[in-house]
């Protein structure tokens, strides 16, 4: 796990349920009450808030919030526990974060984003300057990994399957799908850039 993680999402304040979230100072505020979150826990909260209502798997969080390497979902469970405790949430009767058994987590509280929040997301694709990011009928390759989005869950599931095979001594993961559905792009622009990073991955 990387040390001293920084919050990659915008620094603009937003509301999650009864809490004002101030990412720039890692603060949660509710009336006179104020709490400071760890950077990774704040990043987790922002990731869930930006996808309010979506079910997010632990593998997806490990790929997109922890950025690998990982060997289990223990970091997610720990950070989720801290976040719930900070929000005053009860996993048995959640008002903020719901656990969907065998699928992941979903932020169920109302989220209010500032009007210009999306313009300040600061994602890698904001720096793209290599022509059109659309490749037509060709497959995406590693050069497009910065603008290859919308497949985080599939990337996470494939990485998890590969890890299971490796742990069990297997040598093959079979990726199936209809012709043209994006299998090659998923592998070349989603999975391989993570596996071949200089810092390593899992």
């Amino acid at each position: 796990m990387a040390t001293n993680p920084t919050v990659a999402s915008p620094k603009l304040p937003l509301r999650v349920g009864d809490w004002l979230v101030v990412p720039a100072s890692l603060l949660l505020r509710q009336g006179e009450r104020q709490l400071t979150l760890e950077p990774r826990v704040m990043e987790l909260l922002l990731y869930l808030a930006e996808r309010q209502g979506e079910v997010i798997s632990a593998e997806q969080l490990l790929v997109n919030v922890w950025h690998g390497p990982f060997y289990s979902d223990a970091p997610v469970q720990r950070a989720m526990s801290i976040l719930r405790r900070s929000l005053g949430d009860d996993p048995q009767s959640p008002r903020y974060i719901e656990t969907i058994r065998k699928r992941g987590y979903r932020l169920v509280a109302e989220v209010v984003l500032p009007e210009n929040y999306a313009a300040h997301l600061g994602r890698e694709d904001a720096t793209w300057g290599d022509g059109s990011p659309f490749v037509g009928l060709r497959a995406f390759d590693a050069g497009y990994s910065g603008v290859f989005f919308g497949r985080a869950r599939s990337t996470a599931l494939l990485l998890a399957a590969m890890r299971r095979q490796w742990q069990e001594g297997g040598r093959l993961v079979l990726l199936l799908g209809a012709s043209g559905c994006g299998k090659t792009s998923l592998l070349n622009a989603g999975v391989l850039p993570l596996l071949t990073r200089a810092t390593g991955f899992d």
Side-chain angles (χ1 to χ4, degrees), residues 55-129:
V55 179
I56 310 294
S57 70
E59 290 86 4
Q60 194 172 341
L61 290 170
L62 286 164
V63 167
N64 291 303
V65 177
W66 274 261
H67 310 294
F70 59 86
Y71 296 95
S72 75
D73 62 0
V76 173
Q77 292 177 14
R78 175 189 172 276
M80 198 66 72
S81 176
I82 292 170
L83 180 55
R84 281 176 162 149
R85 191 164 57 248
S86 300
L87 294 169
D89 204 17
D90 178 2
Q92 304 305 317
S93 169
R95 293 183 305 119
Y96 288 92
I97 301 168
E98 180 183 14
T99 299
I100 311 297
R101 192 167 181 271
K102 294 188 176 181
R103 290 187 59 205
Y105 305 92
R106 174 168 55 202
L107 194 137
V108 294
E110 181 184 8
V111 174
V112 180
L113 301 173
E115 188 175 329
N116 56 345
Y117 191 89
H120 292 81
L121 280 176
R123 291 175 179 155
E124 288 180 16
D125 56 2
T127 61
W128 178 261

Side-chain angles (χ1 to χ4, degrees), residues 7-185:
V7 176
S9 292
K11 307 286 186 183
L12 302 172
L14 60 142
R15 287 210 162 268
V16 176
D18 299 330
W19 292 92
L20 175 66
V21 181
V22 188
S25 49
L26 302 174
L27 291 177
L28 286 179
R29 289 184 182 146
Q30 187 184 64
E32 297 297 313
R33 192 174 172 208
Q34 182 170 291
L35 301 171
T36 302
L37 296 180
E38 297 174 16
R40 188 74 78 189
V41 176
M42 176 60 78
E43 195 173 346
L44 172 62
L45 174 58
L46 293 178
Y47 191 86
L48 293 171
E50 290 166 6
R51 295 155 183 81
Q52 192 268 350
E54 293 182 32
V55 179
I56 310 294
S57 70
E59 290 86 4
Q60 194 172 341
L61 290 170
L62 286 164
V63 167
N64 291 303
V65 177
W66 274 261
H67 310 294
F70 59 86
Y71 296 95
S72 75
D73 62 0
V76 173
Q77 292 177 14
R78 175 189 172 276
M80 198 66 72
S81 176
I82 292 170
L83 180 55
R84 281 176 162 149
R85 191 164 57 248
S86 300
L87 294 169
D89 204 17
D90 178 2
Q92 304 305 317
S93 169
R95 293 183 305 119
Y96 288 92
I97 301 168
E98 180 183 14
T99 299
I100 311 297
R101 192 167 181 271
K102 294 188 176 181
R103 290 187 59 205
Y105 305 92
R106 174 168 55 202
L107 194 137
V108 294
E110 181 184 8
V111 174
V112 180
L113 301 173
E115 188 175 329
N116 56 345
Y117 191 89
H120 292 81
L121 280 176
R123 291 175 179 155
E124 288 180 16
D125 56 2
T127 61
W128 178 261
D130 197 18
S132 173
F134 303 103
V135 297
L137 296 177
R138 292 184 296 113
F140 285 93
D141 59 30
Y144 285 83
S145 62
V147 291
F148 186 71
F149 65 95
R151 295 293 188 93
R153 183 171 177 80
S154 297
T155 299
L157 290 171
L158 184 52
L159 285 165
M162 293 170 75
R163 185 176 65 235
R164 278 195 306 274
Q165 282 290 85
W166 178 78
Q167 289 171 338
E168 295 169 6
R171 294 171 180 253
L172 176 69
V173 173
L174 183 61
L175 182 59
L176 296 174
S179 176
C181 73
K183 299 182 297 296
T184 302
S185 293

